[in-house]
PDB file of all heavy atoms in Angstrom:
ATOM      1  N   TRP B 135     -51.794 123.098 -72.738  1.00  0.00           N
ATOM      2  CA  TRP B 135     -50.491 123.741 -72.937  1.00  0.00           C
ATOM      3  C   TRP B 135     -50.454 124.500 -74.238  1.00  0.00           C
ATOM      4  O   TRP B 135     -49.872 125.617 -74.267  1.00  0.00           O
ATOM      5  CB  TRP B 135     -49.403 122.666 -72.889  1.00  0.00           C
ATOM      6  CG  TRP B 135     -49.152 122.030 -71.481  1.00  0.00           C
ATOM      7  CD1 TRP B 135     -49.666 122.552 -70.308  1.00  0.00           C
ATOM      8  CD2 TRP B 135     -48.390 120.958 -71.167  1.00  0.00           C
ATOM      9  NE1 TRP B 135     -49.192 121.783 -69.289  1.00  0.00           N
ATOM     10  CE2 TRP B 135     -48.432 120.773 -69.807  1.00  0.00           C
ATOM     11  CE3 TRP B 135     -47.646 120.093 -71.933  1.00  0.00           C
ATOM     12  CZ2 TRP B 135     -47.723 119.751 -69.186  1.00  0.00           C
ATOM     13  CZ3 TRP B 135     -46.949 119.058 -71.272  1.00  0.00           C
ATOM     14  CH2 TRP B 135     -46.999 118.932 -69.920  1.00  0.00           C
ATOM     15  N   LEU B 136     -51.002 123.924 -75.238  1.00  0.00           N
ATOM     16  CA  LEU B 136     -50.939 124.598 -76.567  1.00  0.00           C
ATOM     17  C   LEU B 136     -51.795 125.863 -76.440  1.00  0.00           C
ATOM     18  O   LEU B 136     -51.331 126.900 -76.976  1.00  0.00           O
ATOM     19  CB  LEU B 136     -51.486 123.689 -77.726  1.00  0.00           C
ATOM     20  CG  LEU B 136     -51.568 124.251 -79.078  1.00  0.00           C
ATOM     21  CD1 LEU B 136     -50.205 124.703 -79.491  1.00  0.00           C
ATOM     22  CD2 LEU B 136     -52.136 123.274 -80.035  1.00  0.00           C
ATOM     23  N   GLN B 137     -52.916 125.838 -75.864  1.00  0.00           N
ATOM     24  CA  GLN B 137     -53.758 127.054 -75.722  1.00  0.00           C
ATOM     25  C   GLN B 137     -53.082 128.172 -74.899  1.00  0.00           C
ATOM     26  O   GLN B 137     -53.088 129.320 -75.201  1.00  0.00           O
ATOM     27  CB  GLN B 137     -55.163 126.638 -75.132  1.00  0.00           C
ATOM     28  CG  GLN B 137     -56.113 126.023 -76.002  1.00  0.00           C
ATOM     29  CD  GLN B 137     -56.433 126.858 -77.229  1.00  0.00           C
ATOM     30  OE1 GLN B 137     -56.564 128.018 -77.142  1.00  0.00           O
ATOM     31  NE2 GLN B 137     -56.487 126.118 -78.346  1.00  0.00           N
ATOM     32  N   GLU B 138     -52.336 127.677 -73.860  1.00  0.00           N
ATOM     33  CA  GLU B 138     -51.522 128.598 -73.107  1.00  0.00           C
ATOM     34  C   GLU B 138     -50.438 129.282 -73.939  1.00  0.00           C
ATOM     35  O   GLU B 138     -50.246 130.536 -73.844  1.00  0.00           O
ATOM     36  CB  GLU B 138     -50.915 127.877 -71.942  1.00  0.00           C
ATOM     37  CG  GLU B 138     -50.099 128.729 -71.023  1.00  0.00           C
ATOM     38  CD  GLU B 138     -49.467 127.849 -69.885  1.00  0.00           C
ATOM     39  OE1 GLU B 138     -50.158 127.007 -69.320  1.00  0.00           O
ATOM     40  OE2 GLU B 138     -48.233 127.928 -69.681  1.00  0.00           O
ATOM     41  N   ALA B 139     -49.795 128.549 -74.766  1.00  0.00           N
ATOM     42  CA  ALA B 139     -48.782 129.154 -75.657  1.00  0.00           C
ATOM     43  C   ALA B 139     -49.368 130.072 -76.697  1.00  0.00           C
ATOM     44  O   ALA B 139     -48.821 131.114 -76.962  1.00  0.00           O
ATOM     45  CB  ALA B 139     -48.029 127.952 -76.315  1.00  0.00           C
ATOM     46  N   ILE B 140     -50.540 129.681 -77.192  1.00  0.00           N
ATOM     47  CA  ILE B 140     -51.248 130.564 -78.115  1.00  0.00           C
ATOM     48  C   ILE B 140     -51.616 131.924 -77.496  1.00  0.00           C
ATOM     49  O   ILE B 140     -51.378 132.983 -78.042  1.00  0.00           O
ATOM     50  CB  ILE B 140     -52.495 129.881 -78.682  1.00  0.00           C
ATOM     51  CG1 ILE B 140     -52.025 128.728 -79.653  1.00  0.00           C
ATOM     52  CG2 ILE B 140     -53.393 130.876 -79.483  1.00  0.00           C
ATOM     53  CD1 ILE B 140     -53.211 127.827 -80.093  1.00  0.00           C
ATOM     54  N   ARG B 141     -52.090 131.875 -76.261  1.00  0.00           N
ATOM     55  CA  ARG B 141     -52.439 133.052 -75.507  1.00  0.00           C
ATOM     56  C   ARG B 141     -51.150 133.896 -75.262  1.00  0.00           C
ATOM     57  O   ARG B 141     -51.195 135.146 -75.411  1.00  0.00           O
ATOM     58  CB  ARG B 141     -53.132 132.749 -74.261  1.00  0.00           C
ATOM     59  CG  ARG B 141     -54.605 132.390 -74.367  1.00  0.00           C
ATOM     60  CD  ARG B 141     -55.305 132.330 -73.046  1.00  0.00           C
ATOM     61  NE  ARG B 141     -54.780 131.384 -72.132  1.00  0.00           N
ATOM     62  CZ  ARG B 141     -55.024 130.074 -72.149  1.00  0.00           C
ATOM     63  NH1 ARG B 141     -55.910 129.555 -72.928  1.00  0.00           N
ATOM     64  NH2 ARG B 141     -54.488 129.226 -71.262  1.00  0.00           N
ATOM     65  N   GLU B 142     -50.066 133.213 -74.899  1.00  0.00           N
ATOM     66  CA  GLU B 142     -48.837 133.929 -74.639  1.00  0.00           C
ATOM     67  C   GLU B 142     -48.379 134.738 -75.858  1.00  0.00           C
ATOM     68  O   GLU B 142     -47.812 135.818 -75.721  1.00  0.00           O
ATOM     69  CB  GLU B 142     -47.794 132.981 -74.180  1.00  0.00           C
ATOM     70  CG  GLU B 142     -46.455 133.614 -73.835  1.00  0.00           C
ATOM     71  CD  GLU B 142     -45.444 132.596 -73.463  1.00  0.00           C
ATOM     72  OE1 GLU B 142     -45.698 131.325 -73.264  1.00  0.00           O
ATOM     73  OE2 GLU B 142     -44.234 133.003 -73.284  1.00  0.00           O
ATOM     74  N   TYR B 143     -48.461 134.169 -76.992  1.00  0.00           N
ATOM     75  CA  TYR B 143     -47.995 134.814 -78.238  1.00  0.00           C
ATOM     76  C   TYR B 143     -49.073 135.534 -78.961  1.00  0.00           C
ATOM     77  O   TYR B 143     -48.807 136.093 -79.997  1.00  0.00           O
ATOM     78  CB  TYR B 143     -47.266 133.788 -79.097  1.00  0.00           C
ATOM     79  CG  TYR B 143     -45.989 133.282 -78.503  1.00  0.00           C
ATOM     80  CD1 TYR B 143     -45.911 132.068 -77.802  1.00  0.00           C
ATOM     81  CD2 TYR B 143     -44.898 134.091 -78.457  1.00  0.00           C
ATOM     82  CE1 TYR B 143     -44.785 131.654 -77.233  1.00  0.00           C
ATOM     83  CE2 TYR B 143     -43.743 133.700 -77.850  1.00  0.00           C
ATOM     84  CZ  TYR B 143     -43.691 132.451 -77.230  1.00  0.00           C
ATOM     85  OH  TYR B 143     -42.557 132.090 -76.595  1.00  0.00           O
ATOM     86  N   GLY B 144     -50.273 135.553 -78.412  1.00  0.00           N
ATOM     87  CA  GLY B 144     -51.331 136.410 -78.943  1.00  0.00           C
ATOM     88  C   GLY B 144     -51.725 136.244 -80.433  1.00  0.00           C
ATOM     89  O   GLY B 144     -52.194 137.131 -81.087  1.00  0.00           O
ATOM     90  N   ARG B 145     -51.544 135.049 -80.970  1.00  0.00           N
ATOM     91  CA  ARG B 145     -51.911 134.767 -82.288  1.00  0.00           C
ATOM     92  C   ARG B 145     -53.019 133.746 -82.373  1.00  0.00           C
ATOM     93  O   ARG B 145     -52.754 132.561 -82.382  1.00  0.00           O
ATOM     94  CB  ARG B 145     -50.641 134.278 -83.054  1.00  0.00           C
ATOM     95  CG  ARG B 145     -50.851 134.004 -84.508  1.00  0.00           C
ATOM     96  CD  ARG B 145     -51.063 135.314 -85.297  1.00  0.00           C
ATOM     97  NE  ARG B 145     -49.823 136.018 -85.321  1.00  0.00           N
ATOM     98  CZ  ARG B 145     -49.476 136.692 -86.445  1.00  0.00           C
ATOM     99  NH1 ARG B 145     -50.152 136.677 -87.472  1.00  0.00           N
ATOM    100  NH2 ARG B 145     -48.313 137.397 -86.411  1.00  0.00           N
ATOM    101  N   ASP B 146     -54.228 134.173 -82.396  1.00  0.00           N
ATOM    102  CA  ASP B 146     -55.382 133.299 -82.507  1.00  0.00           C
ATOM    103  C   ASP B 146     -56.170 133.631 -83.693  1.00  0.00           C
ATOM    104  O   ASP B 146     -57.308 134.096 -83.575  1.00  0.00           O
ATOM    105  CB  ASP B 146     -56.172 133.468 -81.195  1.00  0.00           C
ATOM    106  CG  ASP B 146     -57.069 132.186 -80.998  1.00  0.00           C
ATOM    107  OD1 ASP B 146     -57.057 131.234 -81.804  1.00  0.00           O
ATOM    108  OD2 ASP B 146     -57.769 132.126 -79.884  1.00  0.00           O
ATOM    109  N   ARG B 147     -55.529 133.426 -84.887  1.00  0.00           N
ATOM    110  CA  ARG B 147     -56.130 133.721 -86.204  1.00  0.00           C
ATOM    111  C   ARG B 147     -57.228 132.826 -86.532  1.00  0.00           C
ATOM    112  O   ARG B 147     -57.343 131.667 -86.052  1.00  0.00           O
ATOM    113  CB  ARG B 147     -55.125 133.771 -87.285  1.00  0.00           C
ATOM    114  CG  ARG B 147     -54.111 134.859 -87.031  1.00  0.00           C
ATOM    115  CD  ARG B 147     -53.188 135.055 -88.242  1.00  0.00           C
ATOM    116  NE  ARG B 147     -53.093 133.910 -89.209  1.00  0.00           N
ATOM    117  CZ  ARG B 147     -52.100 133.709 -89.979  1.00  0.00           C
ATOM    118  NH1 ARG B 147     -51.118 134.559 -90.049  1.00  0.00           N
ATOM    119  NH2 ARG B 147     -52.168 132.743 -90.840  1.00  0.00           N
TER     120      ARG B 147
END
Side-chain angles (χ1 to χ4, degrees):
W135 288 349
L136 180 58
Q137 286 300 320
E138 180 182 311
I140 289 169
R141 282 190 300 276
E142 180 181 352
Y143 292 101
R145 183 68 72 139
D146 202 358
R147 294 188 342 199

